[in-house]
């Protein structure tokens, strides 16, 4: 297996909202060609870390870098898929239009979408099994279908890093399998993939790298190394899973 230098990194990263810290002294390195799972309880700072890594929010202290350069805002090579609860689904937009918006960041100026843009969007929707609903309004879809459209939008951007906030939450097994297959293909092409999740077994099965956080990093490394009873108790505050069952599926 090829070992890549870090694509995204945080050094001594602290994030405050108002007077409260959401993340403290976080040091992580994310590599291309790897899937990294971010795990921790509600309020642990998973979404906050993904927003810092996508350049959407700035650290209060410390730094975040992309390919060795400080992140100063959203970056055309970093694609971010928000947590479903963070999205205004009432926005009056069709599935096709929503998918086309994935191209906006890579454009230097506004221009009408071309026929080939629309063909690319239809192909991305086909990839996630949503082309038949291309002309539906986004608010008329089920939660899992909306998640698929957001994935199609992300696939429009030929980025180097893909950050997904809870992409497996609330989607059915076929959608999870489709997502795993798509992430696998992107990983093989060298993309750095980071996703937040509450599903330890899913992470044990599909991630090369796991980061346990709860305001600070509790453990960081291959899932089989990181998922110990002690680390999970420190992260989640109790023995909530059978370590044996996780070991059985861990890569
Ligand atoms: N915009 C904000 N303003 C103030 N506090 C915030 C804001 N966003 C997050 N927080 C706080 O920061 C902490 C970390 O939140 P974050 O959303 O990163 O957690 P999370 O791990 O993604 O949780 P969940 O599993 O519920 O999605 C929480 O205490 C939260 O209340
Ligand atoms: Mg979150």
């Amino acid at each position: 297996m090829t070992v890549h230098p870090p694509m995204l990194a945080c050094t001594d990263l602290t994030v405050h909202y108002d007077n409260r810290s959401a993340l403290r002294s976080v040091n992580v390195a994310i590599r291309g060609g790897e899937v990294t799972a971010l795990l921790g309880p509600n309020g642990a700072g998973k979404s906050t870390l993904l927003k810092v890594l996508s350049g959407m929010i700035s650290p209060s202290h410390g730094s975040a870098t992309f390919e060795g350069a400080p992140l100063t805002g959203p970056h055309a090579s970093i694609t971010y898929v928000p947590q479903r609860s963070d999205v205004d689904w009432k926005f009056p937009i069709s599935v096709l239009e929503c998918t086309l918006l994935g191209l906006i960041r890579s454009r230097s100026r506004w221009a009408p979408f071309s026929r080939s843009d629309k063909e690319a969007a239809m192909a991305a929707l086909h990839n996630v099994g949503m082309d038949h609903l291309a002309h539906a309004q986004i608010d008329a879809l089920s939660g899992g279908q909306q998640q698929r459209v957001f994935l199609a939008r992300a696939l429009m951007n030929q980025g180097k890093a893909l950050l997904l906030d809870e992409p497996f939450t609330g989607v059915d097994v076929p959608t999870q399998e489709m997502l795993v297959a798509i992430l696998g293909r992107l990983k093989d092409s060298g993309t750095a993939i980071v996703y937040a999740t509450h599903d330890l077994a899913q992470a044990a099965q599909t991630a090369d790298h796991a980061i346990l956080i709860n305001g600070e990093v509790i453990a960081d490394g291959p899932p089989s190394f990181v998922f110990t009873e002690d680390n999970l108790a420190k992260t989640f505050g109790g023995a909530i899973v059978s370590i044996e069952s996780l070991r059985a599926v861990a890569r």
Side-chain angles (χ1 to χ4, degrees):
M1 193 180 89
T2 321
V3 176
H4 301 267
M7 187 179 288
L8 285 159
C10 292
T11 310
D12 201 21
L13 177 93
T14 293
V15 177
H16 294 292
Y17 289 112
D18 306 319
N19 293 326
R20 279 188 311 135
S21 72
L23 291 172
R24 293 171 295 282
S25 305
V26 169
N27 294 288
V28 291
I30 309 293
R31 290 171 204 286
E34 278 188 12
V35 174
T36 300
L38 208 51
L39 300 118
N42 292 136
K46 301 180 298 296
S47 296
T48 301
L49 183 54
L50 289 175
K51 286 175 188 169
V52 171
L53 291 171
S54 66
M56 287 174 61
I57 59 176
S58 307
S60 310
H61 303 287
S63 67
T65 57
F66 175 69
E67 294 185 326
L71 265 173
T72 53
H75 192 291
S77 293
I78 304 172
T79 307
Y80 167 73
V81 182
Q83 193 164 350
R84 203 194 301 166
S85 55
D86 273 0
V87 178
D88 175 10
W89 295 107
K90 294 282 169 227
F91 200 71
I93 191 169
S94 75
V95 164
L96 180 60
E97 288 161 342
C98 178
T99 308
L100 281 163
L101 289 179
L103 290 172
I104 291 275
R105 196 90 71 62
S106 53
R107 298 280 160 91
S108 55
R109 64 186 176 85
W110 190 87
F113 292 117
S114 66
R115 176 190 281 262
S116 70
D117 290 339
K118 288 182 188 154
E119 283 168 3
M122 287 305 291
L125 286 169
H126 178 74
N127 249 333
V128 300
M130 287 297 295
D131 45 336
H132 64 298
L133 287 172
H135 300 290
Q137 289 298 111
I138 195 91
D139 70 349
L141 303 184
S142 75
Q145 291 172 331
Q146 290 170 337
Q147 197 97 324
R148 285 176 178 234
V149 174
F150 260 51
L151 183 62
R153 186 175 82 154
L155 295 175
M156 296 292 284
N157 198 356
Q158 301 291 322
K160 294 183 179 176
L162 177 59
L163 312 177
L164 308 111
D165 203 343
E166 298 201 25
F168 292 105
T169 301
V171 297
D172 60 17
V173 171
T175 306
Q176 291 187 17
E177 286 173 355
M178 175 207 73
L179 182 58
V180 169
I182 290 174
L183 296 186
R185 286 203 294 276
L186 291 171
K187 163 186 150 159
D188 291 344
S189 70
T191 306
I193 294 157
V194 188
Y195 69 80
T197 184
H198 290 278
D199 188 338
L200 287 156
Q202 174 76 261
Q205 252 174 326
T206 63
D208 305 291
H209 176 194
I211 301 174
L212 293 179
I213 60 168
N214 193 355
E216 54 197 24
V217 174
I218 309 290
D220 177 6
S224 55
F225 170 78
V226 158
F227 291 164
T228 65
E229 214 146 313
D230 191 36
N231 285 339
L232 293 173
K234 277 187 198 147
T235 308
F236 296 99
I240 54 150
V241 284
S242 150
I243 295 295
E244 286 67 32
S245 67
L246 279 177
R247 289 253 166 75
V249 291
R251 293 143 52 88

